[in-house]
Amino acid sequence: MDKKEKIRLTKLAPNCGCAAKVGPGTLTGILGKLPKFEDEQLLVGTETSDDAAVYKISNDLALIQTLDFFTPVADDPYTFGQVAAANALSDVYAMGGEPKIALNIVAFPNHMDTEILGEILKGGADKVMEAGAVLAGGHTIQDDTPKYGLSVTGFVHPDKLWKNFGACAGDALILTKPLGAGIINTAIKAELASEEETEGVLKSMTCLNKYARDIMRNYRVHACTDVTGFGLGGHALEMAQGSNKTLVLDTKKLPVLRGAREHACMGLIPAGAYRNREHVERAGITSTAEVCMEDIVFDPQTSGGLLLAVHPEDADAALRELSKLELPCAVIGEVTERRDSIIILK
Ligand code: CO
Ligand code: CO
């Protein structure tokens, strides 16, 4: 009997991908109790919940350090490896940087066919190769639920660093991948997703944010983050709070994966979406959007796109270039001076 045929990796984990993240509210409480570290060369630390840590080495070189790993988000081991690696590499791209060295982080069950592990690692290695970085080692432990990801070190010029705050009133908000990955992954687990829907989400999750970053480097980016476990709403909130601005998101303009809106309307929503919603609601939100579209705003993404606050004069040209890439992207809203609600959905 072919074991690979039989095992559906996503069945081995209660939450898949970034939906397995610990909620944003819980995290803030715990992290606040840790001792504060101070170092003049540390350009980005824990205070701003940014995508990666950044350490200045010299006036023209800073080191980016990040890690990310999670439970299977795809049944096919090679695809799972690709998604986990694309997601981990993304935090370097979200800082405007270039990944250089990657290390594997692996948890794998004793009793499982090691060929499956080989496929996961191959998927990861191929993405690291595509990123132009080198895979230089890793660490493996035994665990009942497989987990995979990368620790990634990258470089960036300190003046070209993108932070998740610094958005200016009037900036256009650009999103470079479609939303709804958590919803489609939930539908896949429930065996309710069509083949096209499954293909669509896998194509999006395995796509490196490298290509969007390459384009956006040539424009005036004031803030950037990647949209992952906290959903568009949660990551937009971090940008709004860090920038002391309000973010207005036009849900009619959101790029959405095929089938996500329909599944959301049917109530197929991952648990993480409710946590994300509560977290943003506590901070202050006004919405006149359709409920299914709100669910998409709070849907936890795995290997989601970049959310960028861009100088308004650059938005059209940037979007024209981004539209030549394979995934749908859009100007999804704007930044305004701080209002009563920190996030406005319309
Ligand atoms: Co991130
Ligand atoms: Co991350």
Side-chain angles (χ1 to χ4, degrees):
M1 184 167 51
D2 187 352
K3 281 194 205 146
K4 261 191 294 181
E5 288 294 324
K6 224 184 64 180
I7 293 172
R8 284 190 59 192
L9 284 181
T10 58
K11 291 268 185 212
L12 301 173
N15 295 302
C16 51
C18 288
K21 256 191 182 180
V22 176
T26 320
L27 266 188
T28 328
I30 296 167
L31 296 177
K33 295 194 184 91
L34 295 181
K36 297 268 172 285
F37 290 87
E38 269 169 50
D39 186 319
E40 265 183 24
Q41 306 293 101
L42 187 68
L43 302 181
V44 178
T46 52
E47 301 80 30
T48 50
S49 315
D50 215 321
D51 299 293
V54 184
Y55 195 87
K56 186 172 167 183
I57 293 173
S58 69
N59 283 339
D60 43 33
L61 186 67
L63 188 98
I64 303 173
Q65 187 84 55
T66 179
L67 75 94
D68 234 315
F69 67 104
F70 46 60
T71 51
V73 65
D75 286 317
D76 172 55
Y78 179 78
T79 309
F80 169 44
Q82 286 187 304
V83 173
N87 178 71
L89 290 158
S90 173
D91 281 325
V92 174
Y93 295 127
M95 308 304 295
E98 196 69 51
K100 287 291 170 193
I101 307 171
L103 303 175
N104 284 321
I105 304 164
V106 182
F108 199 72
N110 244 341
H111 51 80
M112 204 184 271
D113 184 353
T114 51
E115 239 179 83
I116 294 177
L117 177 57
E119 285 292 298
I120 295 173
L121 296 182
K122 173 84 167 60
D126 283 352
K127 279 292 151 185
V128 172
M129 178 91 67
E130 183 185 336
V134 290
L135 194 58
H139 186 78
T140 310
I141 60 161
Q142 281 174 23
D143 190 356
D144 289 342
T145 312
K147 299 174 186 80
Y148 177 61
L150 298 173
S151 161
V152 188
T153 302
F155 293 156
V156 69
H157 191 290
D159 301 339
K160 305 251 164 78
L161 174 63
W162 294 342
K163 296 177 183 167
N164 67 350
F165 62 94
C168 306
D171 280 356
L173 293 167
I174 293 181
L175 179 67
T176 67
K177 278 190 189 183
L179 296 167
I183 292 163
I184 299 293
N185 285 328
T186 305
I188 294 173
K189 274 188 107 154
E191 292 174 36
L192 290 169
S194 72
E195 214 167 289
E196 291 81 19
E197 289 166 3
T198 306
E199 264 170 38
V201 73
L202 294 179
K203 182 179 169 191
S204 178
M205 290 191 300
T206 54
C207 177
L208 289 182
N209 281 330
K210 171 188 189 353
Y211 308 102
R213 190 280 321 250
D214 286 347
I215 290 171
M216 293 311 296
R217 274 209 282 219
N218 302 318
Y219 296 97
R220 286 169 282 180
V221 173
H222 295 150
C224 175
T225 189
D226 59 347
V227 178
T228 55
F230 303 155
L232 173 66
H235 293 283
L237 175 65
E238 287 174 343
M239 187 178 283
Q241 284 174 328
S243 311
N244 194 26
K245 296 284 180 289
T246 282
L247 264 55
V248 182
L249 306 175
D250 185 348
T251 59
K252 288 183 268 330
K253 292 188 178 151
L254 296 180
V256 174
L257 286 166
R258 180 201 283 254
R261 196 178 160 281
E262 291 70 17
H263 289 301
C265 291
M266 283 164 51
L268 218 61
I269 294 151
Y274 297 101
R275 278 202 304 268
N276 290 341
R277 176 191 281 272
E278 276 169 33
H279 179 65
V280 179
E281 280 176 349
R282 262 197 303 276
I285 177 171
T286 308
S287 174
T288 51
E290 197 193 351
V291 177
C292 311
M293 290 309 291
E294 287 182 14
D295 291 330
I296 285 170
V297 167
F298 297 113
D299 181 41
Q301 304 300 288
T302 299
S303 188
L306 299 178
L307 171 68
L308 305 117
V310 181
H311 194 290
E313 285 166 16
D314 289 2
D316 285 349
L319 195 69
R320 257 199 308 280
E321 267 198 82
L322 286 169
S323 302
K324 290 181 194 142
L325 299 177
E326 279 179 52
L327 297 171
C329 54
V331 172
I332 61 160
E334 59 169 346
V335 180
T336 70
E337 289 304 344
R338 180 64 205 266
R339 304 187 198 169
D340 287 341
S341 299
I342 189 155
I343 299 290
I344 297 175
L345 301 182
K346 56 177 197 185

